[in-house]
Amino acid sequence: MTPFSEKVIQIIASIPAGKVLTYGAIATAAGNPRAARQVVRLLHSSTVKYDLPWHRVINSQGRIALKDATAVCEQEAMLAAEGIHPGPRGRINLKQYLWTEVLSPH
DNA sequence: CTGGTGACTTATC
DNA sequence: AGATAAGCCACCA
């Protein structure tokens, strides 16, 4: 377990319901702006072990990064259940839903 | 060790 | 807005 991993896990675990975070944002907050892919890997791994809100993590486009339409639909449903309503084509308004508390040190 | 791959990102066109 | 390309980094065969 590297410090980066712990931070990523901690950040993801602290995302409040109704908010989302992008892979890049998490990577940056964890100290590695280039580690978006590692965030993905960690998230995928840790989701199985821990109980992380993986559905609140999306890509920089404000879009669900999954490829399987079925899984995307499921994630959309989970987000909707938390008050996040994507646009007509599945686009999420980052300006409104992006969680900035952890990105901007208060 | 080498090469392929990915729930990514940014830059161009 | 959608498609392509290149960059980046850890993990696995």
Side-chain angles (χ1 to χ4, degrees):
Chain A
M1 213 46 166
T2 69
F4 176 76
S5 310
E6 291 187 32
K7 197 146 188 177
V8 171
I9 302 302
Q10 186 178 351
I11 291 172
I12 296 175
S14 333
I15 304 176
K19 290 289 180 181
V20 297
L21 225 48
T22 66
Y23 297 99
I26 295 172
T28 302
N32 291 26
R34 322 272 178 179
R37 314 195 78 129
Q38 283 60 273
V39 172
V40 170
R41 217 166 262 286
L42 277 170
L43 177 60
H44 199 63
S45 306
S46 309
T47 298
V48 187
K49 301 184 179 72
Y50 309 85
D51 189 26
L52 298 178
W54 60 273
H55 53 272
R56 295 184 195 138
V57 184
I58 56 182
N59 62 13
S60 64
Q61 305 291 303
R63 200 129 159 62
I64 299 173
L66 288 171
K67 294 175 181 175
D68 301 282
T70 308
V72 173
C73 193
E74 292 297 310
Q75 181 161 356
E76 262 188 60
M78 281 189 281
L79 292 176
E82 305 198 338
I84 300 175
H85 303 289
R89 275 219 277 60
R91 271 185 146 274
I92 292 173
N93 186 344
L94 292 178
K95 286 292 186 184
Q96 181 178 358
Y97 295 115
L98 184 66
W99 188 44
T100 53
E101 301 287 304
V102 74
L103 305 179
S104 309
H106 183 268

